[in-house]
Amino acid sequence: MKGIVLQEPGNAVLKEIDEATAGGDEVLLQVRMVGLCGSDLNSYRGKNPLVSFPRIPGHEISATVVDPGSHKEWVTGTHVTLSPYKACGQCTACERGRPNACRDNQTMGVQRDGALTELIAIPAAKLFRADLSLKELCLVEPLTVGFHAVGRGRVTAEDTVAVFGCGGVGLGVVAGAAFRGARVIGIDLDDQKLETARKAGAAEAINSKTSDVHAQLMELTSGRGPDVVIEAIGSPATYRAAVDEAAYAGRVVYIGWAKDQVPYETRLFVHKELDILGSRNAMPEDFRDVIRMLEAKRFPVDAAVTHVVPFEATPRILAEWNREPERFTKIMIEVS
């Protein structure tokens, strides 16, 4: 079968690979669409420390059941999405019922080969069915990352939530917090992304390139600061800003991963008595929540997906994305 292989940094090729076959606990799927995210771009650039080469990317997936094997609950022709994570089941995170934070987690397209191929074999327990289009199914996994962060922040309808970064992951945060009834403030330096964030549920939007973020947040929260600040960028500046802007006794959730050391005013940790939380991957309940939201048509799918390209164009679009990342919000590959 055909697959997209990252041979080395900056070199993606379409080539023949071994055809997938399903084992006893697996279902054979025909891959329909695969979404690309920032981790895929970092893999292409050789900046993802978790990736070795060669590697087949792709973990945001919509697919169709080709052969359910012994799993009678799955019928040939059913459209599905899936959880791309594989936990060890033995580390402290797994023992505590949080396999999303598994010490030895393996995500498709990162620590193991992904879905940019014609066929994949996936454990039946990882599959989710939904009354959604192929494009919507492909959006489920990236949105779950934001939904999980919202859960980590214990967001309720009583909260004002500020979201730093309104790209693919940040949009999931905006949508997840709005779905819980919270008042959401989106923060980004791109007006188009902020407009999409409004469509996803943000009540207010702040352009950090043209506005004083602190002054705007103080005005919008009557001088209190947001109850919850969720960081979905991964820069030292926004890591610090999240702590600076959070209300007293507020919560700060980090999804983005700052590659450089972050100097903090640690007094604020104690003086505000902040809850500072990390958020990684997603749990099955996050997938189910996102599916409910998408089935309720509460997310601007067409505005969020900026580029849809055919399978054979994947090497070209990766190269273009690498050269001009600001042109792209969400890329989807039509595999079949």
Side-chain angles (χ1 to χ4, degrees):
M1 64 180 183
K2 293 179 180 178
I4 299 293
V5 181
L6 295 178
Q7 302 277 57
E8 59 189 358
N11 181 20
V13 298
L14 176 65
K15 62 184 294 186
E16 293 289 329
I17 61 174
D18 292 339
E19 185 166 316
T21 57
D25 69 335
E26 295 176 324
V27 172
L28 188 66
L29 305 175
Q30 178 187 7
V31 179
R32 306 301 299 276
M33 299 187 80
V34 173
L36 301 180
C37 76
S39 66
D40 297 306
L41 180 58
N42 281 331
S43 297
Y44 180 81
R45 290 172 166 173
K47 294 183 178 181
N48 189 335
L50 302 176
V51 169
S52 58
F53 297 94
R55 175 68 69 229
I56 298 169
H59 60 270
E60 303 175 2
I61 303 155
S62 64
T64 302
V65 175
V66 172
D67 183 358
S70 62
H71 304 281
K72 304 304 181 186
E73 70 275 22
W74 295 103
V75 177
T76 299
T78 303
H79 298 323
V80 299
T81 190
L82 59 95
S83 172
Y85 314 120
K86 181 180 179 181
C88 73
Q90 299 176 341
C91 69
T92 55
C94 290
E95 289 177 348
R96 291 167 182 165
R98 292 165 61 180
N100 62 294
C102 173
R103 180 190 62 196
D104 299 314
N105 171 71
Q106 292 191 338
T107 300
M108 293 178 66
V110 183
Q111 296 95 338
R112 58 194 175 104
D113 282 339
L116 271 173
T117 65
E118 294 178 299
L119 299 169
I120 52 174
I122 298 296
K126 296 290 185 180
L127 303 184
F128 297 87
R129 59 166 60 87
D131 184 19
L132 297 171
S133 69
L134 292 173
K135 185 185 286 188
E136 289 168 332
L137 284 167
C138 203
L139 277 172
V140 171
E141 191 279 335
L143 291 174
T144 64
V145 176
F147 268 60
H148 185 70
V150 169
R152 289 283 287 156
R154 306 189 303 279
V155 170
T156 72
E158 305 301 315
D159 290 323
T160 293
V161 181
V163 182
F164 279 97
C166 295
V169 172
L171 281 180
V173 178
V174 170
F179 197 56
R180 289 187 175 212
R183 177 193 180 202
V184 183
I185 304 169
I187 305 167
D188 204 287
L189 46 72
D190 186 311
D191 282 331
Q192 184 175 346
K193 290 180 180 179
L194 289 171
E195 180 58 31
T196 305
R198 285 187 180 276
K199 294 176 181 177
E204 286 94 15
I206 301 173
N207 187 316
S208 56
K209 190 175 183 179
T210 59
S211 300
D212 183 326
V213 172
H214 174 72
Q216 290 285 299
L217 286 175
M218 289 297 99
E219 180 179 343
L220 291 170
T221 61
S222 301
R224 294 163 50 92
D227 303 292
V228 184
V229 180
I230 301 181
E231 201 278 352
I233 297 173
S235 79
T238 49
Y239 253 62
R240 289 192 300 270
V243 169
D244 292 342
E245 303 300 345
Y248 278 69
R251 287 95 73 198
V252 174
V253 184
Y254 291 118
I255 313 172
W257 181 2
K259 306 304 185 292
D260 300 316
Q261 296 295 309
V262 181
Y264 277 106
E265 174 52 77
T266 55
R267 175 183 61 84
L268 296 177
F269 288 43
V270 177
H271 198 53
K272 291 185 176 183
E273 199 175 51
L274 297 173
D275 290 354
I276 298 178
L277 303 151
S279 183
R280 182 183 174 200
N281 299 331
M283 294 282 283
E285 55 264 32
D286 300 310
F287 282 80
R288 290 187 281 270
D289 286 344
V290 170
I291 287 169
R292 280 194 290 271
M293 181 200 65
L294 289 170
E295 288 180 337
K297 305 303 178 186
R298 292 278 299 273
F299 188 79
V301 174
D302 291 334
V305 180
T306 55
H307 296 75
V308 179
V309 301
F311 194 31
E312 61 271 15
T314 305
R316 172 183 60 79
I317 205 71
L318 282 168
E320 291 180 8
W321 191 19
N322 179 46
R323 288 194 301 269
E324 301 177 87
E326 67 281 354
R327 284 180 49 212
F328 303 87
T329 298
K330 173 57 66 179
I331 302 168
M332 286 190 180
I333 309 299
E334 286 187 312
V335 178
S336 63

